[in-house]
Amino acid sequence: MTVAQHSHVLLAGPNRFVITNVILANFSLSDANSASGPYVWPYGLLYPGVQVGLNVPRRLYLRDTQILLNSSSLQQYRRFFEQRGTLVYSDNATFLHIPYWEDHQTHLHNVALLLQPQGVSLAEMAGNKSVGQLNFVVAADQSTLVPLLQYLAGSNTSLPFMVYLSANVTLRAREAVGLPLNRPVYFVGSAWEYTSIDFGMEVNQLALLGTWSYATFSWVVFENLAPGDATSSKFAELYDMTMGYNVWPLLYPRNQNRVTLHNVTLVMSSLEVEEYLFRATLFQVKPAGFHEQLESINANYQEWEVTWLPAVDSVEAFVMVSTAMNVLTCNYTSAPLVWPRLPWPAWANDTQGSGPSAPKHTFTHVDVTGLTPVGTEAGSPGNSEVVLLTTNMSFGEMLPKDAAVEMQLVQHIRQSYAAAPDRQLYLMGIVAPPVVFDTGYAKDFIQLPPEVPPGYLTIVDVVLQHLAQGPKAPEPGASILTPDVWTMLLWGIPRPTHSIVLLSNVTMWVPAGEFSYIRSFVRASESASNFSIDLQAGQTMRFSNVQDLRAEGLYIQHFAGPGIEADSLQLRMEPGWSQDGPPKGFWATGAPAGDSGGNMSDVTVVVLSVCLVTAVVAGVLGLLAIVLWRRRTAEARATAAAALHAGKPGDVPLSSDTGSGHDGSNVSGPQGPSDLLGSSKRLAASGQAQELALSCEPVHDSSDSYHLQNRAQLTAELARNQFGVNRLMAKEGSDHSDATNGGGRAAQQQQMQGLGRASAASDACLQRLHSAITSMSQDVLSRRLQVSNSNNIANGVSGTVAAQTLGRPSPIGDAGQQQQQQHLTNAEGAVHSGSDALA
């Protein structure tokens, strides 16, 4: 057995054996066909079992390791990983590379299983030389990489070629100019330490123009990526040549997917990182107002998921699939890692702004450290400014002691218009983690100059909470018709009457009363609702394609109101609104201060509604009790009459059971069977069965701030003796009736059939009445439950309501807000789920 090393590290923990950056040869691997493992254990170096003295099983960690083995073992493991759907790189004959795999005994990270050639020493393989018909090189460096590619990568074949990079390399023009890669080539670096490729601010070094050309890069760093040049423009399609993240050192048609980046770090300028994050956000959010950018983005990209990593000021791309390349778990940063950053090439200024989708905006990055104007590479101000927000901010009563970032943003917005009044301003949050603006009920958390034109400010992909009302909301005359009471009109952004603030993919947390009033217009039976709410002075709020998402709130495709227009707006209910300070107006818990206009708070309206429904239910239950008492009285009288007339010829035999009155005493009556049969005959002849009229009509009460379900309005018209007739005739059928003559028997049977049908109708009506009353009782219970839960939520939340959009988590890094949001989401979902189930 042999261990060949180019940087040998062998570490052993209490029960963990970690082998890193070695070549293992002449070891027998554990059997891949074993049902229980272990797998990929080099027997002779290490065996599974219980660690002595610890009584815990041993675990093997292989990282940046190459294992040489025979063809049989290689094929066994090839089938082993294929059956488990593991991502591997292989030519199916000489190499099998496993980026990552683990089970309870083995962890593999960047591990290669390679065919060991016959008659070739390990020193020759480790000495950066290619051997025979093998399709891999175990260690390529600066001196051997380009010759190896020239010798082996230019072959026109579909067989992949694997290159393991053992050191940092430079691929500048003097090393490689249009070097053809006419077969699939894998470039794999180290997962343990940086393996960098310096492209030297040059382009078109590697040409992927053959039939089988494809390049995969794994665990490497790209540095000094330059913009495309005139040659690149011939292959650029709709891709931006000014951006280095499009990897212009690789020359190939960008409408053909010929590149995969896996665990690659791309180092570029701050503008390019900002642009990458901006475009990924556009793809995920698709806000209104970016038609030109979205046109090229939608044409090029099929999948794109990223997140901002504030700790390292970089963008992590989980996945990106485009017409040009695939990206999996790659990092985009502006911090050089191995090579110093070189200046822009001479042709860069000639291509700035000339690409098919070149940026036409200026960037300002906002993070926890403050505002950083990024600008454009060409120095042009562009026709818009994008303030890219990557951190949460608080204003007003929630303003933190150290509010430097918030104050910088407010000042920057003022100065931005003065510097370029013709330019549009976009405040854009990133998708992950979500950006929350806690306005703290501020009346001016964003201040716009009085002369700004309509549509100057657009807010994109931001969560807004603790929104303020207008100045007239606390006044005694304020009502539901007063625009100032509606927090969704963004009174925290004072602006001229002619100005309009645009929103796209924004989530607003609004007071419970405001939310519930809007929700009452949404018809649950339809997929989407369109409606308007008229306000004073001829103003109107228009809602288009509104969907009730239950626990996720309301989704509004388009909203237009005084001074505001929004697309893809989401409303969430904020039960704790105004409870972390003095009442803020109309929607505050309890009646607004000085309210003499008859306005009621949300909770008051709900309580009154519950009382009203309770009274209706009590009345219906009382009516049912009276009906049942009359039925039992009639049955008792009929039974007594039957007992008196028992045995008389020609009479209908009756049961001998006695009934009980409502006071518990036995009840009997003089009613004769002939009269009873006469009334029942008339009932059967007329076809009038017992009637129970039930009508289910929707109730709309504009003062009820909670969504009112359709309630049953019940009316019951019950004949006094009719229940007794039906129950009596349903029970008849004794042997005494069999003793009557044939003609009388037939007549009685016909009468009995008619009365039996009437009895069945009566039973069905009673069942409907019982179901309707039960439904109404449950409705009352759900209303009480909703009020109780809302109060519990309001009392349990300390005033900061974490925000959550469609598919969005709570802000990362704020544990307190995460706990509050979880409590809020669970409670709100329980209220709606319970209400839906009861209704």
Side-chain angles (χ1 to χ4, degrees):
M1 55 185 178
T2 308
V3 177
Q5 59 184 23
H6 35 274
S7 179
H8 173 208
V9 180
L10 180 61
L11 303 175
N15 71 317
R16 294 176 44 167
F17 292 84
V18 183
I19 301 176
T20 301
N21 207 15
V22 300
I23 300 177
L24 301 178
N26 300 319
F27 290 98
S28 175
L29 281 190
S30 54
D31 187 6
N33 296 322
S34 171
S36 58
Y39 304 109
V40 200
W41 279 58
Y43 286 167
L45 178 65
L46 186 67
Y47 291 93
V50 176
Q51 187 66 15
V52 178
L54 295 178
N55 199 27
V56 291
R58 295 181 181 135
R59 306 184 73 177
L60 173 63
Y61 292 76
L62 294 175
R63 183 170 53 199
D64 289 341
T65 299
Q66 298 162 330
I67 303 175
L68 302 180
L69 67 170
N70 58 44
S71 178
S72 176
S73 297
L74 180 63
Q75 293 303 317
Q76 285 183 8
Y77 273 104
R78 182 183 64 82
R79 291 189 294 269
F80 172 86
F81 287 112
E82 286 181 354
Q83 291 171 359
R84 285 156 179 76
T86 306
L87 173 66
V88 296
Y89 307 147
S90 178
D91 65 345
N92 296 329
T94 65
F95 70 86
L96 178 70
H97 183 83
I98 306 109
Y100 184 83
W101 182 84
E102 68 172 349
D103 67 0
H104 65 287
Q105 292 177 296
T106 310
H107 293 250
L108 307 180
H109 199 180
N110 209 36
V111 172
L113 305 183
L114 307 174
L115 179 65
Q116 183 168 4
Q118 299 295 327
V120 178
S121 68
L122 190 59
E124 290 181 293
M125 296 189 63
N128 306 335
K129 294 181 179 180
S130 60
V131 178
Q133 299 299 315
L134 299 181
N135 295 318
F136 63 86
V137 175
V138 297
D141 56 16
Q142 182 66 50
S143 62
T144 60
L145 177 60
V146 171
L148 286 170
L149 293 177
Q150 290 173 336
Y151 177 63
L152 295 173
S155 303
N156 237 335
T157 176
S158 61
L159 286 176
F161 179 58
M162 171 67 72
V163 179
Y164 289 98
L165 299 175
S166 61
N168 301 321
V169 297
T170 297
L171 286 179
R172 301 187 182 182
R174 61 177 179 267
E175 286 86 15
V177 179
L179 183 64
L181 303 182
N182 293 330
R183 64 190 297 185
V185 180
Y186 297 100
F187 297 87
V188 178
S190 170
W192 178 246
E193 56 188 0
Y194 292 130
T195 305
S196 179
I197 300 177
D198 173 26
F199 290 107
M201 282 295 173
E202 299 179 7
V203 294
N204 307 324
Q205 289 96 315
L206 302 177
L208 288 77
L209 302 175
T211 303
W212 308 104
S213 296
Y214 199 95
T216 299
F217 297 86
S218 180
W219 288 114
V220 296
V221 178
F222 287 173
E223 298 194 78
N224 287 315
L225 292 167
D229 63 359
T231 303
S232 306
S233 65
K234 300 176 183 178
F235 302 90
E237 300 296 331
L238 292 177
Y239 286 87
D240 186 0
M241 291 198 309
T242 66
M243 295 293 114
Y245 56 73
N246 286 322
V247 195
W248 298 109
L250 306 181
L251 181 65
Y252 68 99
R254 287 314 196 264
N255 60 354
Q256 300 177 17
N257 191 314
R258 296 193 171 200
V259 173
T260 291
L261 306 182
H262 185 198
N263 292 319
V264 173
T265 299
L266 295 90
V267 180
M268 56 195 68
S269 67
S270 298
L271 172 68
E272 291 168 301
V273 175
E274 209 79 1
E275 178 75 14
Y276 185 86
L277 179 59
F278 167 68
R279 288 175 180 263
T281 302
L282 288 184
F283 177 84
Q284 293 179 271
V285 177
K286 291 183 170 52
F290 294 87
H291 305 294
E292 182 180 354
Q293 292 92 336
L294 284 174
E295 183 179 358
S296 62
I297 290 174
N298 292 333
N300 293 337
Y301 298 90
Q302 293 80 49
E303 192 173 0
W304 206 350
E305 296 180 15
V306 304
T307 187
W308 171 253
L309 303 179
V312 290
D313 290 336
S314 64
V315 179
E316 183 77 11
F318 298 119
V319 61
M320 186 196 78
V321 178
S322 70
T323 60
M325 68 178 66
N326 301 321
V327 171
L328 183 64
T329 59
C330 291
N331 188 266
Y332 297 77
T333 181
S334 60
L337 298 178
V338 176
W339 304 92
R341 181 167 179 82
L342 299 176
W344 287 98
W347 71 82
N349 291 333
D350 298 331
T351 59
Q352 291 299 320
S354 62
S357 55
K360 298 180 180 179
H361 37 254
T362 299
F363 280 115
T364 299
H365 185 91
V366 181
D367 56 19
V368 292
T369 63
L371 274 70
T372 304
V374 180
T376 62
E377 293 295 340
S380 171
N383 57 12
S384 63
E385 179 186 3
V386 176
V387 179
L388 203 56
L389 308 166
T390 62
T391 184
N392 301 333
M393 279 178 271
S394 300
F395 303 87
E397 295 182 11
M398 306 300 173
L399 191 68
K401 294 181 179 179
D402 183 12
V405 179
E406 287 80 357
M407 295 299 99
Q408 288 180 33
L409 178 62
V410 172
Q411 185 178 5
H412 179 80
I413 293 174
R414 293 175 188 163
Q415 297 174 349
S416 179
Y417 180 77
D422 297 332
R423 189 169 58 188
Q424 284 186 300
L425 178 64
Y426 294 90
L427 295 183
M428 178 176 291
I430 58 176
V431 174
V435 175
V436 180
F437 268 24
D438 190 335
T439 69
Y441 312 109
K443 305 288 186 180
D444 56 354
F445 76 95
I446 293 178
Q447 301 176 14
L448 298 179
E451 62 274 13
V452 295
Y456 167 74
L457 174 64
T458 300
I459 302 176
V460 180
D461 203 41
V462 174
V463 179
L464 301 174
Q465 63 185 32
H466 289 141
L467 296 171
Q469 291 183 321
K472 296 181 181 180
E475 295 180 359
S479 70
I480 204 74
L481 303 178
T482 307
D484 296 59
V485 308
W486 297 92
T487 64
M488 65 182 303
L489 297 181
L490 292 185
W491 294 99
I493 305 178
R495 53 199 182 274
T497 55
H498 67 276
S499 182
I500 296 177
V501 174
L502 303 178
L503 307 180
S504 185
N505 292 79
V506 169
T507 296
M508 290 187 185
W509 289 77
V510 299
E514 181 175 343
F515 175 85
S516 301
Y517 185 81
I518 297 173
R519 193 178 218 173
S520 67
F521 288 88
V522 182
R523 287 161 288 190
S525 60
E526 298 183 6
S527 58
S529 299
N530 302 311
F531 54 89
S532 299
I533 299 178
D534 294 329
L535 306 176
Q536 293 173 348
Q539 301 180 93
T540 303
M541 297 191 300
R542 294 182 174 85
F543 300 78
S544 301
N545 294 328
V546 184
Q547 299 179 34
D548 190 345
L549 304 178
R550 298 299 177 185
E552 295 295 331
L554 297 175
Y555 173 78
I556 305 170
Q557 184 175 356
H558 183 75
F559 168 71
I564 185 173
E565 286 191 18
D567 290 294
S568 300
L569 176 66
Q570 187 180 6
L571 291 187
R572 300 295 300 273
M573 182 174 67
E574 186 174 337
W577 185 87
S578 85
Q579 293 188 3
D580 41 17
K584 304 301 183 297
F586 185 81
W587 302 113
T589 303
D595 186 1
S596 61
N599 298 315
M600 294 180 291
S601 70
D602 178 58
V603 175
T604 303
V605 171
V606 173
V607 172
L608 291 179
S609 301
V610 170
C611 294
L612 176 63
V613 175
T614 304
V616 173
V617 172
V620 173
L621 293 176
L623 177 61
L624 180 60
I626 294 173
V627 169
L628 293 177
W629 172 76
R630 288 178 176 176
R631 185 188 71 177
R632 290 187 177 275
T633 300
E635 288 180 349
R637 289 176 179 175
T639 303
L644 290 174
H645 294 275
K648 291 184 179 182
D651 290 343
V652 178
L654 302 175
S655 172
S656 62
D657 294 340
T658 60
S660 299
H662 68 282
D663 58 354
S665 61
N666 292 335
V667 178
S668 63
Q671 185 177 10
S674 59
D675 295 336
L676 185 60
L677 283 177
S679 63
S680 61
K681 182 184 296 184
R682 289 192 297 271
L683 179 60
S686 64
Q688 296 176 349
Q690 166 62 37
E691 293 184 1
L692 176 65
L694 293 177
S695 62
C696 184
E697 301 176 0
V699 178
H700 177 69
D701 182 2
S702 61
S703 66
D704 189 348
S705 60
Y706 277 87
H707 183 56
L708 301 180
Q709 305 289 340
N710 291 339
R711 299 169 180 162
Q713 294 180 331
L714 306 176
T715 59
E717 301 174 2
L718 306 173
R720 180 171 136 181
N721 295 326
Q722 198 165 333
F723 280 104
V725 171
N726 294 336
R727 293 298 181 187
L728 173 64
M729 300 308 298
K731 294 179 180 179
E732 289 184 343
S734 65
D735 294 337
H736 180 74
S737 63
D738 295 334
T740 60
N741 57 54
R745 180 188 225 172
Q748 290 176 5
Q749 287 179 351
Q750 184 177 1
Q751 293 169 355
M752 290 287 289
Q753 291 175 358
L755 292 177
R757 289 190 296 269
S759 176
S762 174
D763 289 343
C765 291
L766 283 174
Q767 182 63 35
R768 291 170 58 199
L769 176 62
H770 179 268
S771 299
I773 292 174
T774 302
S775 177
M776 178 169 283
S777 301
Q778 292 173 337
D779 184 67
V780 173
L781 177 61
S782 71
R783 300 301 166 201
R784 289 175 175 171
L785 175 63
Q786 189 168 4
V787 173
S788 174
N789 277 298
S790 298
N791 291 335
N792 290 339
I793 295 170
N795 294 332
V797 179
S798 62
T800 302
V801 181
Q804 185 178 12
T805 58
L806 272 173
R808 297 177 186 162
S810 300
I812 293 176
D814 193 338
Q817 288 191 1
Q818 287 182 344
Q819 295 174 357
Q820 293 172 7
Q821 171 60 17
Q822 185 65 36
H823 173 72
L824 174 62
T825 303
N826 293 340
E828 186 183 346
V831 169
H832 292 305
S833 299
S835 178
D836 294 341
L838 294 177

